[in-house]
């Protein structure tokens, strides 16, 4: 993983290449790509590079052997390094979002969260298969809401109405909490991947028990001193 973050010039160049890709490529746009990569690097188990590149660039081929796509592939790899570094450091991921109007005060979250959820689907084993269902639901809740899942979930709509909740207010809250949710998802799977503590097969020897060395003495007066 490179120590130096992408420069603004590199990000702008990547954006240009995604909008004007080499022949045969149908890549994700920059915002969707960052969301997608954030989910890929957060997966329960590592996703093979060839698999996620196929989705990121929109075609199943050996991208590393494609000279015309070399710069694009290099910059996509650089973006992955940046996303992973930010999540490892735990300071929150600066989201690449496009404004919805010329004022630049409101942003379109749908492409970003849609890319993230596409990355979630790529994981093998899956998030729900690997983790606690209730925890995964909670982690993905802001992303599902921002992706428009609220309209498709009758139970959630009924619960929101029963509590007198405001749908627009919930969306704004999810927008504010999105960087935290992405960080929490990454941290959850980091902990999940850690090996479980070794279990003792035999009961621990008490201080007044016979010493297991066979001396006939109590443990506290022998090997337990």
């Amino acid at each position: 993983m490179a120590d130096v973050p992408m420069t603004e010039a590199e990000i702008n160049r990547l954006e240009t290449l995604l909008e004007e890709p080499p022949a045969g490529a149908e890549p994700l746009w920059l915002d969707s790509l960052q969301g997608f990569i954030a989910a890929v690097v957060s997966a329960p188990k590592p996703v093979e590079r060839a698999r996620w590149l196929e989705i990121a660039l929109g075609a199943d081929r050996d991208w590393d052997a494609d000279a015309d796509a070399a710069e694009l592939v290099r910059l996509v790899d650089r973006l992955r390094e940046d996303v992973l570094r930010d999540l490892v450091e735990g300071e929150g991921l600066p989201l690449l979002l496009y404004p919805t109007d010329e004022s630049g005060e409101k942003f379109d979250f749908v492409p970003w969260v849609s890319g993230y959820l596409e990355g979630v689907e790529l994981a093998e084993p899956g998030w729900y298969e690997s983790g606690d269902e209730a925890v995964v639901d909670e982690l993905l809740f802001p992303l599902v809401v921002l992706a428009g899942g609220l309209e498709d979930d009758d139970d959630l709509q009924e619960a929101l109405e029963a509590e007198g909740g405001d749908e627009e207010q919930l969306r704004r809250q999810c927008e504010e909490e999105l960087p935290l949710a992405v960080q929490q998802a990454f941290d959850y799977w980091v902990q999940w991947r850690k090996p479980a503590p070794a279990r003792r097969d035999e009961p621990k020897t008490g201080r007044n028990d016979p010493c297991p060395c066979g001396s006939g003495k109590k443990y506290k007066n022998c090997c337990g001193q």
Side-chain angles (χ1 to χ4, degrees), residues 64-85:
D64 291 319
D66 189 334
D68 293 335
E71 184 182 13
L72 174 59
V73 171
R74 180 182 67 81
L75 290 173
V76 169
D77 281 333
R78 289 276 287 134
L79 181 62
R80 180 190 178 278
E81 292 171 357
D82 268 19
V83 170
L84 180 57
R85 181 191 307 104

Side-chain angles (χ1 to χ4, degrees), residues 81-152:
E81 292 171 357
D82 268 19
V83 170
L84 180 57
R85 181 191 307 104
D86 286 331
L87 292 173
V88 168
E89 291 176 353
E91 298 297 326
L93 179 64
L95 306 184
L96 298 175
L97 302 169
Y98 289 103
T100 57
D101 54 39
E102 294 181 358
S103 71
E105 296 178 356
K106 293 184 178 181
F107 295 89
D108 185 1
F109 286 80
V110 173
W112 201 100
V113 298
S114 297
Y116 190 97
L117 293 173
E118 188 169 8
V120 169
E121 291 296 322
L122 198 63
E124 291 183 357
W127 285 41
Y128 282 99
E129 180 183 352
S130 303
D132 180 273
E133 182 177 351
V135 173
V136 174
D137 271 340
E138 184 176 352
L139 291 171
L140 294 180
F141 178 77
L143 293 111
V144 172
V145 169
L146 293 175
L150 194 62
E151 291 83 352
D152 301 327

Side-chain angles (χ1 to χ4, degrees), residues 164-175:
D166 179 82
E167 190 173 320
E168 184 58 32
Q169 182 179 357
L170 176 60
R171 284 199 179 89
R172 288 196 300 269
Q173 181 180 342
C174 289
E175 290 175 358

